[in-house]
Amino acid sequence: MRDLIERMEADVRVQLAPKPRRLAHSLSVADESVRLARVYGVDEDCARMAGLVHDWYKVLDGPATVALARERGIDMGVDLDLVEPLLHGILAAHDLPARYPDAPACVWQAVERHTTAHAHMSPLDMVVFVADGIEPGRKSYPALENLRAMVGSAPLDDLFWVSFTSGVQYVIATERYLYPGTIDIYNALALERANS
């Protein structure tokens, strides 16, 4: 597994070399994913792998990302131009298993779900989702500091819930297009939390 992780990191360094800030973010998310995995009892190797490659296709601009998603037959039920910011994780999860066939399927699920989330998030999915939002390179603001402070003191599903709902609130506050699937995921998670 160590060899695979080293190869993935070397490849990410090449893939994201044109975007040094994105590369730094990806390496930081990998480290943060491992930290969260350690706190919450999740497989650290899988967390590192997913964190490393989660933004693999962020090297592409918006139109190229949408074009690649159309080429791959990605269907999100809406015009892909509307959900371009969500496509990079789905594309990486679609394409990278062929490049890294020894990586566990849970890695690709976490990569796919790090932008959209899902009604049934695994612990690894939640770790990568949260790590992407709280990694140390992110600019500080009160809600982010609150989320960072929750690590280790709150259960992982609560940490994820706050991270997910904060993201939804941000999309609404900035008057951006809200992917309809996000509403379905929110409602499913809210009902599950109300009934637990």
Side-chain angles (χ1 to χ4, degrees):
M1 195 71 82
R2 189 59 42 199
D3 289 346
L4 175 59
I5 292 170
E6 288 175 5
R7 183 161 62 91
M8 290 173 101
E9 181 171 338
D11 291 349
V12 164
R13 288 179 181 278
V14 172
Q15 173 76 3
L16 297 179
K19 296 202 170 183
R21 289 176 59 190
R22 183 61 54 184
L23 173 58
H25 166 74
S26 293
L27 296 174
S28 185
V29 169
D31 290 342
E32 188 67 14
S33 293
V34 169
R35 184 177 80 90
L36 291 174
R38 193 169 293 135
V39 170
Y40 290 105
V42 173
D43 186 286
E44 294 177 29
D45 288 340
C46 289
R48 180 167 297 283
M49 284 187 273
L52 281 170
V53 300
H54 79 286
D55 276 356
W56 182 269
Y57 277 119
K58 276 290 200 169
V59 72
L60 302 177
D61 65 13
T65 301
V66 171
L68 185 60
R70 287 189 176 123
E71 180 184 310
R72 297 292 193 266
I74 305 297
D75 181 7
M76 296 187 68
V78 297
D79 184 335
L80 294 182
D81 287 308
L82 294 172
V83 291
E84 178 272 318
L86 305 178
L87 296 175
H88 65 278
I90 296 164
L91 283 167
H94 181 277
D95 288 356
L96 292 180
R99 185 179 184 126
Y100 306 107
D102 295 337
C106 62
V107 170
W108 310 123
Q109 178 175 290
V111 169
E112 179 175 6
R113 293 178 176 180
H114 90 271
T115 55
T116 59
H118 192 273
H120 304 288
M121 296 283 277
S122 73
L124 177 63
D125 298 343
M126 291 188 273
V127 158
V128 176
F129 187 97
V130 172
D132 187 32
I134 69 169
E135 62 93 359
R138 295 275 190 196
K139 187 175 179 182
S140 180
Y141 55 94
L144 176 57
E145 292 310 317
N146 175 60
L147 198 56
R148 287 173 172 158
M150 290 175 66
V151 174
S153 62
L156 180 57
D157 58 341
D158 289 350
L159 186 64
F160 163 70
W161 174 252
V162 173
S163 181
F164 174 71
T165 56
S166 295
V168 173
Q169 291 168 7
Y170 174 77
V171 170
I172 292 168
T174 55
E175 299 181 0
R176 299 175 190 212
Y177 178 80
L178 181 62
Y179 169 53
T182 301
I183 298 167
D184 296 335
I185 292 166
Y186 172 86
N187 285 333
L189 291 169
L191 285 173
E192 182 179 310
R193 292 176 66 80
N195 293 326
S196 63

